[in-house]
Every structure is written in C-alpha cells, then in structure tokens.
Amino acid sequence: KVTTDELTGISNRRSFEGYMTRRMSTLRGSGMLFLFMIDVDHFKQINDRWGHSTGDEALKQTAELLKSAVSRNDFIGRVGGDEFVVILQNRDLNECEELFQNFDQGCADAVVEADEDNNIALSIAKGFAKYDPAADKQFVDVFNRADEEMYKNKRKMKAEALQK
C-alpha cells in the first residue's frame, strides 16, 4: 500500500487514517492530541490562472513549511487536493498556537513564482480540534470538527478581506 503523497513527499490520506486510528486506540484516557486542518486559499484560482505546475509548487511549499514548523514526532499529511493535516501529540494548546504562529510567519513570507513577472503570496486557512476520547469514537469525529473550524476561519478571512 502506498502511504506517501507523490507530489509533496509527506504522508497521504491512507496513512493519515491508519495513524489516527492507531493513535486514538492508544490515547484512550491519557495524552493529548490536536488535529489541524490546513487549506491553501484560492487554490482553484491558482490552477486556473497560472496552471497546474504553479498549483503543484504551492502544495510543495505548503508541505515544506509544515515540515519546518513541526517536529519529527508530529504527523503531517496531505488528505485532499489542497488540504493538509497535522497531528500534534502531548503538547498543550499554547505550544500548538506557538508552532502555528511560526507556520503563519513562514506562510506570510512565502511566495510561489507564477511566471517571470508574477509571484503569488501563499495564503493558508486552518482550523483545529482537540481529540476527546469520551466523544470521538472514530477519527472522522475529530477530523470533521477541525474541518468545520477551518472553514469557519476561511469565511472569516474572506469577510475581513471584503471589509478592507
């Protein structure tokens, strides 16, 4: 079974699902686990306007930024076209927030070269959920909460951009 995303070199959805299932079975009652969902903003427009090679570059850069932000003990995976997951274990919320502030700074400084004359700023939306052993019976329970939070943050970012 293939467990690595060929484009980015990080884990794929199959690997993520297996990892989450294993982690949830070993964390019952102890330990902390946070699941972050990350989405590349305006990904469809990047592909449509600049081409799939530019979109691929945005995905690769996102994966590299995630790898540089987290430790080797953390899990990073690409679970969809432009959606990534990060699983942080045995960290408190402050540590998670600090890690993602560093990731946000890396994203703020990142640009994707679209062509000789144009660079695209890399924009990311994210959301997270803490694994709750009492409520989360399957990995999709915590996954869906993190996904909902990500889309809520995405809508908030769009609303703020419209007000500017």
Side-chain angles (χ1 to χ4, degrees):
K1 294 181 182 178
V2 177
T3 58
T4 303
D5 177 61
E6 190 175 314
L7 178 67
T8 61
I10 61 176
S11 295
N12 64 14
R13 187 178 191 106
R14 174 182 288 157
S15 181
F16 159 68
E17 290 175 1
Y19 184 86
M20 272 300 284
T21 301
R22 288 189 304 278
R23 297 300 335 134
M24 288 172 65
S25 69
T26 60
L27 280 176
R28 301 266 181 229
S30 68
M32 279 213 250
L33 183 140
F34 290 92
L35 173 68
F36 284 81
M37 290 289 303
I38 293 114
D39 175 272
V40 178
D41 283 334
H42 315 294
F43 185 68
K44 183 178 179 342
Q45 291 90 330
I46 291 170
N47 277 336
D48 290 349
R49 181 167 182 195
W50 304 107
H52 290 278
S53 61
T54 302
D56 287 352
E57 190 57 38
L59 296 174
K60 290 177 193 175
Q61 277 198 37
T62 302
E64 288 303 315
L65 288 165
L66 286 169
K67 285 194 278 189
S68 68
V70 301
S71 77
R72 288 185 167 174
N73 296 328
D74 300 317
F75 181 93
I76 305 168
R78 180 175 168 213
V79 295
D82 65 331
E83 292 186 334
F84 296 81
V85 292
V86 175
I87 301 168
L88 304 176
Q89 301 176 83
N90 300 319
R91 297 176 189 244
D92 63 28
L93 185 57
N94 289 336
E95 289 175 298
C96 293
E97 287 174 346
E98 183 178 318
L99 183 147
F100 272 93
Q101 284 175 350
N102 293 338
F103 173 70
D104 288 343
Q105 185 59 51
C107 289
D109 296 339
V111 292
V112 178
E113 186 177 315
D115 61 27
E116 292 178 7
D117 300 319
N118 295 287
N119 290 326
I120 303 165
L122 191 59
S123 178
I124 303 292
K126 65 185 180 302
F128 78 95
K130 181 180 175 189
Y131 168 60
D132 179 358
D136 299 324
K137 303 304 178 203
Q138 299 177 341
F139 79 87
V140 295
D141 298 329
V142 66
F143 179 87
N144 287 341
R145 284 200 326 277
D147 196 47
E148 288 170 18
E149 183 73 17
M150 180 189 68
Y151 278 101
K152 183 174 100 179
N153 289 334
K154 197 175 192 77
R155 287 188 299 272
K156 180 180 173 188
M157 287 168 51
K158 283 182 181 180
E160 288 172 355
L162 289 174
Q163 291 176 353
K164 290 181 180 179

